[in-house]
Amino acid sequence: MPHSPPPDADARRAVAPVICYPDDTLPRPDLALYARFRAAAWKTDEVIVPPREGRAFRVPVCGFFRITCVEGPQVGDLNLWNAENLSERFYSGKTRALHGTHLSTGDRLWSCFPWLRPMATITEDTLDWYGFDAFGGGVHDVIGTRCDPYTHYLLSGGEMYHHCCHSNLTRAIAAETGEDVRAAEFRVHDVMNVFMCTGFTRDTGQYFMKASPVRPGDFTEFFAEIPLLGALSACPGGDCSATHSSDEAACFPLLVEVFATPAEALGDWASPPVNGYDRSHGA
């Protein structure tokens, strides 16, 4: 049974919050510089991610990649790795702690320990106008994990479904690396939910999704701070207005385009160094 509130319950609730990770000293991306790089870049590749499937792609260091909605409202689950060291991968939890629950232009996707450095920077986002709606929903979250067959199995009573984003990403990275899917699965990690509109309910604190505001022609573009291997799943929930992990929702492909920046345009730019902590951990 719930306990009765203490006499000072209101006073305890009224304590002002403190930001856990003040970002005043966080290095800021030079978006004007990146815009100059982008103006000099040329397209080198494109990948169509079919509905309810995943595909991998590679982006050269100081290149760009753009994820575009091409046919109908569709969300995508994004994984990133250092193309030269797959142990260094996107860390959604620390990205969330540094930038907030939802990402947009100027925010960065950070890598895991012990590297903890920017992997990619969002340089353009056609949905940056959305902000937060009256329900507390925002676009491009780093709070959801990815739909997966394990949770689906747990909640559905045993029904098998193999086109959850976790499985789509697993097949995509397995195909790219040549690994068995059971080995490749361990490389899949929590995602950036591109185009997905999500938040937390105010009464119960539950993670919610609602119809994505994305429309054909909308895109999000990223600058590759390091050489990247990416994988994107076109979520089986479509725009995630009602369900995910099923064949019921209307689903559409997503387009990934890759652009390379010529070396002569870079000047003295260099990739961010790995984190400077000495890893001694007080031992």
Side-chain angles (χ1 to χ4, degrees):
M1 287 182 62
H3 292 81
S4 299
D8 63 344
D10 289 342
R12 296 191 201 182
R13 293 191 181 103
V15 174
V18 176
I19 300 298
C20 293
Y21 294 97
D23 63 358
D24 298 349
T25 59
L26 196 66
R28 305 290 179 183
D30 187 341
L31 294 181
L33 177 65
Y34 293 171
R36 293 199 294 274
F37 292 169
R38 182 65 177 85
W42 71 92
K43 184 173 174 178
T44 59
D45 194 16
E46 74 173 40
V47 175
I48 295 289
V49 183
R52 296 185 178 86
E53 290 291 346
R55 292 291 186 271
F57 58 93
R58 292 180 182 268
V59 188
V61 62
C62 69
F64 294 80
F65 69 98
R66 174 182 290 195
I67 301 173
T68 302
C69 172
V70 288
E71 290 185 15
Q74 176 66 45
V75 308
D77 286 42
L78 176 67
N79 268 186
L80 292 176
W81 299 263
N82 179 342
E84 298 175 352
N85 173 17
L86 299 186
S87 294
E88 183 178 8
R89 63 190 190 182
F90 172 50
Y91 187 178
S92 67
K94 190 58 67 178
T95 299
R96 178 175 65 248
L98 293 173
H99 294 300
T101 56
H102 297 76
L103 307 182
S104 191
T105 305
D107 292 331
R108 298 177 126 164
L109 282 66
W110 293 78
S111 66
C112 61
F113 300 153
W115 299 275
L116 194 60
R117 58 173 171 170
M119 302 183 77
T121 298
I122 301 175
T123 53
E124 194 169 359
D125 173 21
T126 64
L127 294 176
D128 58 5
W129 55 268
Y130 192 89
F132 288 93
D133 60 34
F135 301 97
V139 184
H140 309 311
D141 83 72
V142 282
I143 50 179
T145 54
R146 60 200 176 274
C147 57
D148 68 273
Y150 301 100
T151 306
H152 185 83
Y153 186 92
L154 178 69
L155 298 177
S156 70
E159 179 187 357
M160 296 291 185
Y161 190 73
H162 301 299
H163 290 273
C164 299
C165 288
H166 177 86
S167 296
N168 296 345
L169 293 168
T170 295
R171 292 194 306 276
I173 193 64
E176 181 67 21
T177 63
E179 294 178 311
D180 177 85
V181 290
R182 288 175 176 78
E185 178 179 16
F186 289 104
R187 299 199 184 277
V188 176
H189 47 280
D190 284 351
V191 298
M192 175 182 173
N193 283 307
V194 180
F195 304 141
M196 193 170 182
C197 189
T198 60
F200 293 105
T201 59
R202 299 188 190 281
D203 53 351
T204 63
Q206 289 176 287
Y207 180 54
F208 72 76
M209 61 187 186
K210 55 179 292 190
S212 173
V214 71
R215 297 295 182 268
D218 280 321
F219 66 87
T220 304
E221 190 163 286
F222 305 78
F223 174 72
E225 303 276 359
I226 62 174
L228 295 174
L229 169 60
L232 182 69
S233 168
C235 181
D239 69 355
C240 289
S241 58
T243 185
H244 58 66
S245 301
S246 78
D247 290 322
E248 299 170 6
C251 292
F252 302 94
L254 292 170
L255 170 66
V256 180
E257 297 172 282
V258 178
F259 304 85
T261 306
E264 57 269 22
L266 299 177
D268 60 358
W269 182 88
S271 287
V274 300
N275 192 270
Y277 178 62
D278 67 4
R279 303 183 67 192
S280 61
H281 304 291

